[in-house]
Amino acid sequence: MNKNKIFKALFILLFLSFLIGYIIEETGYYEYKLQNKTILTNESMAKFEKDLKEGKDVTLEDYVVDTEKDYTTSLTRGTNKVSLEVNNVLKKGIESVFKVLGSFVEE
């Protein structure tokens, strides 16, 4: 393969990776996961209300139930970190390309 084809294939691969990461972020998947961590069960709400009536010092962390198991490993955490960094670099690169293209159109 010549260098031009390799460059095109690499650019397309990186662009698709960025696009997938962007779509996952924009669909609210991360926010949905965070929301699930803060849901109170009926029992926790009843206990919270009882403690309030009794005048006890309450904090929200005492009543939140964590229902998710963390199955991540150091490998997945590392690849996620690398993926986020690649997404940031690609986003900045694409924004700068469009800024340059926009300056051509404006002139």
Side-chain angles (χ1 to χ4, degrees):
M1 287 177 50
N2 78 33
K3 292 180 181 180
N4 196 18
K5 287 184 179 182
I6 292 173
F7 178 73
K8 282 183 182 179
L10 182 62
F11 179 76
I12 290 171
L13 180 67
L14 290 174
F15 180 73
L16 287 176
S17 299
F18 169 77
L19 191 61
I20 290 169
Y22 183 76
I23 289 170
I24 287 173
E25 180 182 344
E26 288 300 314
T27 57
Y29 178 76
Y30 180 70
E31 285 81 12
Y32 171 75
K33 290 293 201 178
L34 287 178
Q35 179 187 11
N36 283 342
K37 291 181 180 182
T38 61
I39 293 175
L40 297 175
T41 64
N42 289 333
E43 295 165 355
S44 294
M45 287 191 301
K47 182 180 176 192
F48 178 76
E49 290 171 358
K50 179 183 171 196
D51 289 347
L52 275 179
K53 286 179 184 176
E54 293 176 359
K56 293 183 180 177
D57 186 27
V58 293
T59 59
L60 186 61
E61 289 80 22
D62 296 336
Y63 304 97
V64 174
V65 177
D66 187 17
T67 59
E68 286 194 30
K69 293 186 179 184
D70 185 18
Y71 294 107
T72 60
T73 63
S74 59
L75 176 64
T76 56
R77 285 188 294 273
T79 53
N80 285 340
K81 185 176 181 181
V82 169
S83 174
L84 290 174
E85 290 299 320
V86 168
N87 280 341
N88 289 335
V89 169
L90 285 175
K91 183 177 178 181
K92 289 177 184 175
I94 290 172
E95 287 174 349
S96 64
V97 166
F98 281 116
K99 188 181 285 185
V100 169
L101 291 175
S103 68
F104 291 142
V105 172
E106 289 176 1
E107 291 178 8

